[in-house]
Amino acid sequence: MRAWKRAFTAALTVITVAAATPGAAHAGERPPGFAADPTTLVDTSIGNNGDGTTFPGATTPFGMVQLSPDTQLDKYASYDYAQDSILGFSHTHLSGVGCQTMGNIRFMPTTGTVTSSDPARYAAKFSHADERRAPGYYGVTLAGGIEAELSATQRTGQHRYTFPGGAGAENILVEAGQSNGSTYAGDVRVVGDDTVEGWVQGGNFCGETGKERYRVYFSARFDRTFTAFGTWSDDTLTAGRREASRGAQRAGAWLTFDPAGGRRVGASVGLSYTSVDGARLNRRAEQPRSFDRARAAAHEAWREELSRMRVAGGSTADQRTYYTALYHSLLHPSVGSDVDGRYRGFDDEVHRADSPYYQMFSLWDTYRSQNQLVALLHPDRAADMARSVLRVYEDGGWLPRWGLGNGETNVMSGDPVTPFVVDLYNRGLLDDRTARGLFAALWKNANEVPEDRSAFRGRDGNPSYVANGWVAYRDLPGYLYGDSRQAGSATLEYALGDCALSTMAAGLGHRRKAETLAARCDDFAHLWDSGVTSKGFTGFPVARNEDGTAAVGTDPTRSGAFHEGTAWQYQWLGQQDPGTLFGLMGGRDAAERRLDTFFDLPTVLSDPAKAASESWVTGAYDYHDNFAFNPNNEPDFHAPWMYAWTGSPWKTSAVLRALRTLFTDDVYGMPGNDDLGATSSLLVFAMAGIFEAQPGSATYIVSAPMFEKVEIRPEHGRRITVVAPGADASAARYVSSVRTDRGAPHGSWLSHRELLGAGTIRVGLSETPTAWGVGAAPPAVAGD
């Protein structure tokens, strides 16, 4: 027996489930207070690099507009902290995606004569010391002396530029034909002497489909009249011309203001995905009385939002890291409908909704963490998001996998929309019509394949999966066969989704369909090959051909037919039925030893930071051909909680303490892409001490909180308070007891309903491992 295991075995013989709270100094102390204004603890520069790919600019919670500076084009992150020139300020960004996109409608202030439409020539140097960032606000003083300030309402971008005296003409350049990614068309038009309007068409996200397109329309009104103007198409500038269309590169307009009229120029820019009329309507409806009023309103919206799940205790760095993660978790999905309810559907037609319509669904990422956070804090928004997914189906005929604007990108693999929806259903957030409409769509998605795959790929592995229980591997080119190329991971994702859907079928009274779906819960077992060995362990999932033979090699440390991962990492994606999964691994104890190797537990316990930085996968894009835990990418998000089904649930808290070291309060403080808040939501839950490890189950496993107090205020719901005296993100802490206002829970977990009614949750903590939670893990998703 290894030394570390002997030590902890000895420790477990002397501790009890009710182990004492650590640190005598904490006894009798009053709980630490909450920050008066949590926005002061958010640093929007965290993750502003080539890994995190977040943006520092101004937006509101779930807003249509993300007004932010761009330092580069055609890169994953349009703003890279390592650069020192700004190309302009564009109105649309996605937080943390791994492909270039958006960056639409770019404004840039300049002085003097306008001589070029090339952003490389009119870009301005800047220093980070001259930047000012806060939720809902961004400001910077450019090297030439121009001060740029940005804020936002839900559907408008608010600009304020202060020009230096004596620098000549004051200009605003408006680029409508060049974005951060594939751009196909764009028009701009100067209207009267104070307005510019137009649109831009983009798409081809990640190059997967090559066909999806979206349009963003804008209407910008300035608070001063132009003294001169002109437009450009590509490199040709024409003074006095009011209209221009994109050629091969760009289309834009410049607007010149007389310095005698003042040093400050403001603009209000409405966006819409339906039309210029819609953009104009949005601008007029949300027009603030002043820039400062807009900034104050955005600040108040974020102060309220961040107070929905506030924390007390810990270091300043802990709180900065936590609140910034919470901020990043609440940016998307984005409102896609205009103020009058109109939205552009997946049939490219304009429809009207009777509730807010949301878009930008990065489902493969968000179904594992961010969806649950939105559902907890904003049940009404979550329900509207589900209705939006239903409208995608009603308008386009199929459900989305990764929706960008009103187009399906078909990016990623598996069946993420199913657990996304089922989680909301099992939380009781869907009305009967929405639930039944979505179930019909999900049942179709789980059993059929789109006849016309020009827009939706659907579950392209269904023909073999439904017949055999596994997705047959086929190495065919093009987006039509993505799941077939990634047959190993797709099989596991399908099984997880179908198992979750069986609970929704049962709840809606579809008994036979529930039985059919429940029979697929353990389809991951069809991939299990007991003849494969690796790192001293026997048995791993192996992708299969149509005839059941192994495909693409069997080395579990090689990616093969697993999407952004290996069999070592994907073997844990059977959490809907851990008993069966662990049985394939040789039993609970054998599975625990396998987990210990996966995380390098000896190092996790002796030096958590070293384990995270040296033993685990560290690069944001290093998910291929690795065997260790990858905290940077979604397939492994739930893995730390798999200890809940072993004899040592305390190890989850140990791994999470190591995970915490990867998130810091600086620009490089986010491991991997944030993926529209998925990675940030993982941290929020880990630090709060609850997490849903079985997507679709609506159950939270309890681990050691990293703050002494967490207060959750769901919209329209009762306050939930987690009290954990002695909690410390930087020191070993393990759960020793849990009690709520309704008594001790029946296991190491709480259902969503139990959490909402818990009142105060008192978590006892120990400095040494405890036996709490042993044999008390959540049941299999579909039941026994």
Side-chain angles (χ1 to χ4, degrees), residues 635-715:
D636 283 4
F637 275 10
H638 70 283
W641 284 269
M642 294 303 288
Y643 280 117
W645 288 273
T646 74
S648 305
W650 59 267
K651 292 179 181 177
T652 292
S653 297
V655 172
L656 296 180
R657 182 164 60 103
L659 176 73
R660 164 68 184 90
T661 66
L662 297 173
F663 294 84
T664 58
D665 61 343
D666 59 33
V667 66
Y668 300 102
M670 182 177 295
N673 303 152
D674 198 30
D675 289 321
L676 280 70
T679 304
S680 287
S681 296
L682 170 71
L683 180 69
V684 168
F685 277 126
M687 297 190 79
I690 55 172
F691 185 73
E692 181 182 283
Q694 300 166 292
S697 68
T699 60
Y700 305 89
I701 296 175
V702 178
S703 60
M706 300 186 197
F707 295 102
E708 295 195 356
K709 194 171 185 180
V710 181
E711 184 181 271
I712 306 171
R713 294 192 300 113
E715 188 176 25

Side-chain angles (χ1 to χ4, degrees), residues 288-431:
R289 296 181 63 180
S290 68
F291 179 90
D292 289 330
R293 292 284 185 94
R295 178 181 177 181
H299 168 265
E300 180 58 24
W302 278 115
R303 187 197 65 77
E304 171 66 20
E305 200 68 42
L306 297 171
S307 295
R308 290 197 183 280
M309 195 165 176
R310 56 183 185 165
V311 297
S315 67
T316 300
D318 288 334
Q319 294 214 6
R320 282 165 53 86
T321 302
Y322 170 85
Y323 278 115
T324 303
L326 183 59
Y327 166 82
H328 283 138
S329 299
L330 303 175
L331 297 174
H332 304 291
S334 307
V335 168
S337 52
D338 296 337
V339 293
D340 63 354
R342 295 188 308 155
Y343 70 93
R344 186 169 294 277
F346 274 55
D347 56 357
D348 203 31
E349 299 293 331
V350 175
H351 305 269
R352 191 181 299 271
D354 55 5
S355 60
Y357 175 83
Y358 289 86
Q359 57 190 20
M360 310 306 181
F361 285 100
S362 174
L363 296 172
W364 188 82
D365 308 294
T366 58
Y367 89 81
R368 310 169 201 257
S369 56
Q370 193 257 2
N371 181 42
Q372 292 84 343
L373 187 60
V374 174
L376 175 60
L377 301 183
H378 277 292
D380 291 349
R381 283 190 190 268
D384 287 337
M385 291 170 187
R387 295 185 189 101
S388 301
V389 170
L390 178 57
R391 290 188 181 104
V392 171
Y393 173 74
E394 293 171 342
D395 298 338
W398 288 89
L399 291 166
R401 176 182 303 209
W402 211 119
L404 179 67
N406 65 303
E408 172 52 47
T409 69
N410 293 296
V411 171
M412 310 313 290
S413 62
D415 182 23
V417 68
T418 297
F420 179 93
V421 169
V422 175
D423 248 328
L424 304 182
Y425 172 77
N426 282 333
R427 281 168 165 76
L429 303 184
L430 306 185
D431 62 87

Side-chain angles (χ1 to χ4, degrees), residues 529-541:
D529 191 328
S530 58
V532 175
T533 61
S534 180
K535 309 292 181 183
F537 297 95
T538 300
F540 287 88

